[in-house]
Amino acid sequence: AGNGRRGQIKHGGTEDRSPPMGVTAAGGKCARPHLAPPDFGAAVTGPQSVNQGQTTAAYTLTATAVNGFNGTVTWGLSNLPLGVTARSASGWSGNAATFTLSASASAAPGTYSILAKGTSGSLMHTVTATLVIVAPSFTLAINPVSKTMTRPTAGKTTTVTYAVNVVSVGTLTKPVTLSANGSTAGVTTGVTASITGTNPVTPGAAGILSVTVSNSAKTGTLTLTVTGASARVATKQATAQLTLH
């Protein structure tokens, strides 16, 4: 060629005018591939439940290295509800940290979102730990749930009994007063339902539902209802059935 440059010949006899490797068509160097900066991912266990006034909920915070991250993560908590305290036996610095949350008697029952923030230099990530505070309460369970009996002969009565178990929910220790509400539970003339034995009943123990049947009672299935009441706790009910032949 007249300018003294000699092009390379491709197969087929055409000249290859593409720029050399490492040089752009405009004469500049090729851009190097973009490398993402080091970072970390954050995670927390949960959710956890605590009983109001007692017990603790345990959590673990973890930081996972991303793109060669080798720094140290420092953790902090925020959005703690009133009456809830946090403690960490392992310390608040490290790529794996454990902490506990405790709810005092003044902490209001409910579900809360606790914010856990991990920082390392200019890097920061926030995760949410869920805390459920359970108020003291109780449930009732009647055993057995049903019985069958034959009406007594004229002038006589027959008594059957059921165990009424008082089960604590949370940290309830106050006694529960039981009552048998026969009139609204389908109990008819000739049937008397009452609570006998120890009453009030301490959670974890059982009361006795006694049902006395006379010959005047109608045949069929009766529903017996027991109500439990304790200070500052909503009343609870449980039912059982008695079938008369």
Side-chain angles (χ1 to χ4, degrees):
N3 59 7
R5 296 180 60 186
R6 181 173 298 175
Q8 297 178 346
I9 305 301
K10 289 185 178 181
H11 294 290
T14 60
E15 184 177 358
D16 183 3
R17 296 185 178 275
S18 61
M21 294 183 63
V23 179
T24 64
K29 294 184 178 181
C30 293
R32 293 184 178 181
H34 174 71
L35 297 178
D39 200 352
F40 67 92
V44 62
T45 58
Q48 298 283 343
S49 295
V50 294
N51 296 321
Q52 185 185 38
Q54 290 185 8
T55 73
T56 59
Y59 299 80
T60 299
L61 291 162
T62 55
T64 304
V66 177
N67 298 327
F69 173 81
N70 61 358
T72 299
V73 177
T74 300
W75 303 94
L77 300 182
S78 62
N79 205 35
L80 288 173
L82 184 66
V84 173
T85 56
R87 291 182 177 86
S88 176
S90 64
W92 295 101
S93 181
N95 295 346
T98 59
F99 69 94
T100 59
L101 296 177
S102 303
S104 68
S106 64
T111 300
Y112 299 92
S113 296
I114 313 300
L115 300 181
K117 181 174 68 175
T119 58
S120 180
S122 62
L123 301 176
M124 180 186 72
H125 294 285
T126 301
V127 290
T128 301
T130 301
L131 174 68
V132 180
I133 301 177
V134 180
S137 186
F138 67 94
T139 60
L140 300 178
I142 301 179
N143 185 39
V145 294
S146 64
K147 283 190 174 186
T148 300
M149 64 173 292
T150 300
R151 289 185 306 164
T153 58
K156 295 185 178 181
T157 61
T158 300
T159 299
V160 295
T161 60
Y162 301 75
V164 183
N165 298 294
V166 179
V167 182
S168 175
V169 175
T171 57
L172 183 72
T173 58
K174 298 177 182 179
V176 176
T177 301
L178 302 177
S179 61
N181 193 346
S183 61
T184 59
V187 179
T188 60
T189 302
V191 179
T192 302
S194 62
I195 301 297
T196 58
T198 302
N199 193 25
V201 179
T202 302
I208 300 174
L209 169 63
S210 297
V211 184
T212 301
V213 180
S214 69
N215 180 260
S216 62
K218 295 180 180 180
T219 59
T221 299
L222 310 177
T223 298
L224 310 166
T225 300
V226 174
T227 300
S230 185
R232 300 178 64 182
V233 179
T235 59
K236 308 294 181 181
Q237 289 187 329
T239 60
Q241 290 186 328
L242 174 63
T243 300
L244 301 177
H245 292 302

